[in-house]
Amino acid sequence: MSRLLTQIYLFEEIFAALQEAFPDAEFVVEDKPVDDTFLKLAPEKVRPVAELLIEKFDIYHLSTITGDDAGDGVRLLYHFWSSYGLTLDTLLPYDNLRIPTLTDLIPGAAFYEREIQEMLGVTFEGLATPGPMFLPDDWDGSFPLRRQRLQKSQ
Amino acid sequence: MASPLRSLAYLLPQLWRALKEGPHTVKYPFDPVELPAGYRGRVIIRAENCRGCSMCVRDCPAFALELEREGRDAYRLIYHPERCAYCGQCELSCNFDAISLSNEFVPGKPDRKDLGVVLVNKEG
Amino acid sequence: MSKITVPIGPQHPLLKEPLAFSLTLEGEHVIESAMRLGYVHRGIERLSQERTYVQNVHLFERVCGICSHIHTTTYCQGVEALLGLEVPPRGLYLRALLCELERIHSHLLWLGVQARNIGFDTIFMYAWRDREIVLDIMEDLSGGRVSHAVNIIGGVRIDLTTEHRDVILRQLDTLEPQIETLLDVVENERSFQARTRNIGVLSLEQIRRYCVVGPVARASGLDMDLRRDAPTPPYDRLKFRVPVRYEGDAWARTMVRMLETVESVHLCRQILTTLPDGPTSVRAKRRVPPGEVVSRAEAPRGEVIYYIRSDGSDKPARVKVRTPTLTNLITLPDQLQNISMADVSVVLSGVDLCIACADR
């Protein structure tokens, strides 16, 4: 029970700091299983919020970045962990699949961003890309995790 | 620091254990192999219990079971051991205690055609 | 001095799984390294979208052979949270028992690989022979040595009688002195230390920047273990220590893993002696209501995270798997910088490569 209270208390502090730093931005908070809180925000706010989390709250552990073709765009989820989970949830429209990279703040994000770049076609501005990561060298250039491929096979 | 006495203190129990246990190699298939009772081996059927509900077909992760249906009581359940992953999901999914896994080890055959097995053949 | 490029992999005696390295050497020292993954990429995340939740339990077991049970545990934990199921305590204890047994088997396997890469074949033989005791326990429990298929959505499919429990306790009694012997060798043997001390040092700052997890992180001073930090039952009731060391080199990683193995034996005993009665599983519906879940667990190599999104049908809309080896691989270029060619084998095995996990 005390862990849950710590989570609520710490998250309120974080939310207050975010609202102070970005007064005009819209943040939607949702609690998700297991032990996670999702923070929906606009794509251009991801990098400043990540900077704030790292500098002010020492939340530096990025578990992974999930890319998901949600039907109305590509959804990116940045899963952070600091005694409980905190996920930044953003949606990129199909006609503008670009977002700045986090690798200068968190070098460990490189593999996750490269994977999303390869599987979903999102461009991470500022990311060094030395070639394909999981797909073979002679791949035809399509994006395996996009919806159209799933619908075609069904 | 490792001294000869210390090395002996390590090695003598190992030597004793190796001598006591003897070789573990089994000359399969000439010597009998004892597999534990819960070992997940060949898929077997109790055909009288099968109702043709196809839950096992739906749940098989390796798509190793096929149900060919001609009528309510006329159907064939075919099993492909070469696709089977021996996971036991069919046994868990069956509500009528018809299909299960024995602890028989499945050897290979030179021709793929010899491997497909018709488990249930009901004419209705 | 002229530069030579030495390829390691995809097939190489040092590597248990295919991974391609290209090392540029000047004399005996590595000045540059390049890595190529993807040789065992099977597209499991994409395959999982075409299979039902029940079929996916078995698909995710096959992401990796060494840590198969923790993958299904994390997946089932996530789906059970989406379904709102509560697994009975006996099922959770049995799941944890297999998690700890798998941790022991994975670390003993790794110790053999590490020893072999150093040239200390005796420890390889002893470690893998003692691993057979653990594999026998797991085979009697689940029916398979490496692929257990124990987890189902809603609990576990196995159960344990009191006699069988006593047999396992006796087998653990045989195993424990062997592991303590191996720990003693790692700690005190001069040749082992000469090959692993001060090799592949990673500072705490590097660990934090790269978000490294698992024994590699704990060997450099980062005290993070999800069994203690995000305890799911039964870990909230079990007493165990998390070994942390501060040297950050390959020897510290070996020590952390061996100490963890000893702790896992104690944990297995605690689980077996405090096993609650009751059913081991609950029935689960096949259609999962729409929702999303982030599920984490501590695999032998670190934090494994699953993100599952469901759209109300019986097939998941998206499953994302991030395995700990992928996180730890990013430290390799740093570790391989300026080391002698002879130490490359120690560095590569220190990270505990499980490329099937990393590639999925």
Side-chain angles (χ1 to χ4, degrees):
Chain A
M1 198 57 207
S2 64
R3 263 194 86 239
L4 186 62
L5 287 173
T6 317
Q7 177 175 348
I8 298 173
Y9 173 65
L10 271 173
F11 188 72
E12 280 186 11
E13 245 188 74
I14 295 177
F15 197 57
L18 285 175
Q19 284 181 313
E20 198 188 306
F22 308 103
D24 52 337
E26 225 187 275
F27 298 116
V28 178
V29 178
E30 232 183 305
D31 275 330
K32 300 261 179 206
V34 170
D35 227 8
D36 217 284
T37 309
F38 273 40
L39 186 65
K40 252 213 229 323
L41 32 67
E44 60 272 7
K45 289 280 174 298
V46 167
R47 213 193 129 86
V49 168
E51 266 185 65
L52 193 147
L53 288 176
I54 296 173
E55 276 155 33
K56 217 160 164 218
F57 294 99
D58 202 26
I59 297 181
Y60 58 87
H61 184 82
L62 178 68
S63 290
T64 190
I65 308 176
T66 301
D68 186 6
D69 190 340
D72 48 351
V74 172
R75 200 161 158 233
L76 288 184
L77 299 167
Y78 291 75
H79 302 286
F80 284 90
W81 170 264
S82 162
S83 74
Y84 59 86
L86 175 63
T87 300
L88 303 179
D89 178 356
T90 185
L91 184 67
L92 299 174
Y94 282 128
D95 53 5
N96 188 18
L97 288 174
R98 306 181 72 85
I99 191 167
T101 180
L102 284 186
T103 44
D104 49 341
L105 301 167
I106 306 175
F111 276 4
Y112 313 137
E113 291 183 350
R114 273 176 72 189
E115 184 185 350
I116 294 178
Q117 200 158 316
E118 194 176 52
M119 295 283 168
L120 284 159
V122 174
T123 309
F124 286 87
E125 291 156 354
L127 179 68
T129 34
M133 194 158 130
F134 294 119
L135 297 173
D137 292 330
D138 53 0
W139 186 250
D140 63 9
S142 59
F143 301 119
L145 283 176
R146 286 284 195 92
R147 282 203 137 215
Q148 296 94 314
R149 282 183 76 93
L150 184 66
Q151 277 152 2
K152 246 194 319 186
S153 75
Q154 280 170 346
Chain B
M1 295 291 128
S3 69
L5 275 172
R6 199 191 176 91
S7 311
L8 272 181
Y10 284 154
L11 292 173
L12 281 179
Q14 310 293 338
L15 183 62
W16 172 244
R17 185 175 155 200
L19 288 172
K20 197 170 57 152
E21 287 177 9
H24 289 264
T25 318
V26 169
K27 284 202 231 51
Y28 179 81
F30 306 109
D31 284 351
V33 167
E34 269 178 46
L35 290 168
Y39 181 80
R40 281 171 275 121
R42 181 196 301 282
V43 169
I44 54 173
I45 192 93
R46 276 172 285 280
E48 61 275 11
N49 291 354
C50 176
R51 314 287 165 90
C53 69
S54 79
M55 285 311 290
C56 56
V57 178
R58 223 189 303 175
D59 281 346
C60 176
F63 309 113
L65 289 165
E66 243 181 275
L67 189 74
E68 284 175 3
R69 206 168 198 119
E70 274 119 39
R72 211 194 83 162
D73 291 314
Y75 52 86
R76 284 193 10 234
L77 183 67
I78 306 172
Y79 163 62
H80 300 278
E82 75 273 14
R83 285 189 225 158
C84 177
Y86 303 96
C87 63
Q89 182 62 48
C90 49
E91 185 175 345
L92 292 170
S93 305
C94 182
N95 286 321
F96 305 107
D97 200 20
I99 193 168
S100 64
L101 265 63
S102 64
N103 77 338
E104 215 184 290
F105 186 71
V106 182
K109 293 215 168 59
D111 202 334
R112 187 183 271 258
K113 290 201 297 297
D114 298 333
L115 278 175
V117 176
V118 178
L119 287 179
V120 177
N121 195 346
K122 293 203 174 161
E123 301 297 323
Chain C
M1 254 187 288
S2 62
K3 296 191 188 148
I4 308 179
T5 308
V6 174
I8 295 192
Q11 263 77 38
H12 196 275
L14 279 182
L15 303 167
K16 294 291 158 277
E17 303 186 18
L19 173 67
F21 273 101
S22 167
L23 302 175
T24 311
L25 301 175
E26 196 168 340
E28 273 282 320
H29 289 270
V30 178
I31 49 174
E32 228 179 275
S33 62
M35 181 168 66
R36 178 71 163 101
L37 290 170
Y39 286 94
V40 246
H41 178 71
R42 292 150 286 166
I44 286 193
E45 293 178 6
R46 176 73 178 77
L47 288 174
S48 70
Q49 292 175 323
E50 297 173 0
R51 284 159 174 73
T52 63
Y53 285 97
V54 170
Q55 289 174 318
N56 276 330
V57 175
H58 301 284
L59 179 68
F60 285 112
E61 186 165 26
R62 279 142 181 85
V63 169
C64 175
I66 316 175
C67 43
S68 56
H69 177 78
I70 197 75
H71 276 279
T72 52
T73 300
T74 324
Y75 173 75
C76 289
Q77 200 177 291
V79 180
E80 283 151 12
L82 280 176
L83 283 169
L85 287 180
E86 220 180 283
V87 179
R90 192 177 174 89
L92 290 171
Y93 270 69
L94 288 172
R95 249 185 208 174
L97 173 68
L98 255 110
C99 282
E100 294 310 312
L101 283 172
E102 197 176 60
R103 201 179 311 269
I104 300 173
H105 126 74
S106 170
H107 286 332
L108 283 176
L109 187 150
W110 173 83
L111 179 67
V113 170
Q114 171 85 316
R116 194 168 164 75
N117 283 355
I118 292 175
F120 202 151
D121 267 9
T122 311
I123 293 298
F124 162 59
M125 301 289 179
Y126 284 172
W128 280 44
R129 187 194 54 179
D130 298 327
R131 187 178 151 243
E132 290 295 318
I133 302 178
V134 182
L135 291 175
D136 283 341
I137 298 178
M138 294 202 285
E139 194 180 34
D140 285 330
L141 264 178
S142 68
R145 280 157 56 98
V146 179
S147 124
H148 317 302
V150 156
N151 275 327
I152 54 175
I153 299 176
V156 295
R157 69 164 176 93
I158 57 167
D159 208 343
L160 204 55
T161 60
T162 328
E163 296 83 34
H164 192 180
R165 189 200 69 179
D166 293 336
V167 168
I168 298 180
L169 283 169
R170 278 200 295 275
Q171 284 173 299
L172 287 175
D173 286 337
T174 323
L175 179 66
E176 198 171 359
Q178 300 290 129
I179 296 183
E180 289 185 349
T181 312
L182 291 170
L183 174 62
D184 195 22
V185 167
V186 170
E187 214 172 351
N188 296 317
E189 183 63 34
R190 262 187 307 179
S191 50
F192 200 97
Q193 292 199 13
R195 286 288 325 252
T196 52
R197 285 263 202 194
N198 295 319
I199 309 285
V201 180
L202 283 172
S203 68
L204 185 56
E205 189 49 46
Q206 282 172 301
I207 296 282
R208 286 167 55 110
R209 283 181 339 141
Y210 287 126
C211 304
V212 177
V213 292
V216 180
R218 291 195 277 277
S220 294
L222 184 71
D223 193 1
M224 174 172 149
D225 186 332
L226 284 175
R227 293 175 293 166
R228 182 202 52 197
D229 298 337
T232 51
Y235 289 107
D236 50 357
R237 301 220 177 152
L238 299 173
K239 290 196 186 13
F240 61 102
R241 276 185 4 202
V242 174
V244 176
R245 293 202 73 100
Y246 300 91
E247 297 93 349
D249 55 11
W251 182 77
R253 288 172 208 144
T254 318
M255 282 301 294
V256 165
R257 289 189 178 105
M258 288 317 294
L259 290 167
E260 262 182 34
T261 316
V262 174
E263 284 301 316
S264 286
V265 176
H266 296 323
L267 268 172
C268 285
R269 281 222 187 84
Q270 278 182 59
I271 293 173
L272 285 168
T273 46
T274 59
L275 198 58
D277 291 319
T280 55
S281 68
V282 289
R283 204 166 174 83
K285 289 204 303 267
R286 280 158 197 285
R287 281 181 189 274
V288 176
E292 2 177 50
V293 63
V294 179
S295 175
R296 288 176 165 92
E298 182 79 13
R301 284 162 187 74
E303 169 203 26
V304 69
I305 174 172
Y306 270 63
Y307 164 78
I308 306 174
R309 177 169 71 89
S310 76
D311 56 4
S313 70
D314 61 349
K315 296 189 166 67
R318 174 81 167 104
V319 181
K320 161 79 176 166
V321 182
R322 193 280 275 144
T323 51
T325 311
L326 188 62
T327 315
N328 294 345
L329 277 176
I330 208 168
T331 63
L332 275 179
D334 267 16
Q335 285 186 54
L336 287 172
Q337 194 64 25
N338 264 332
I339 62 168
S340 150
M341 183 66 187
D343 294 327
V344 168
S345 56
V346 180
V347 161
L348 284 183
S349 61
V351 168
D352 203 354
L353 300 170
C354 180
I355 303 302
C357 261
D359 278 351
R360 293 153 284 131

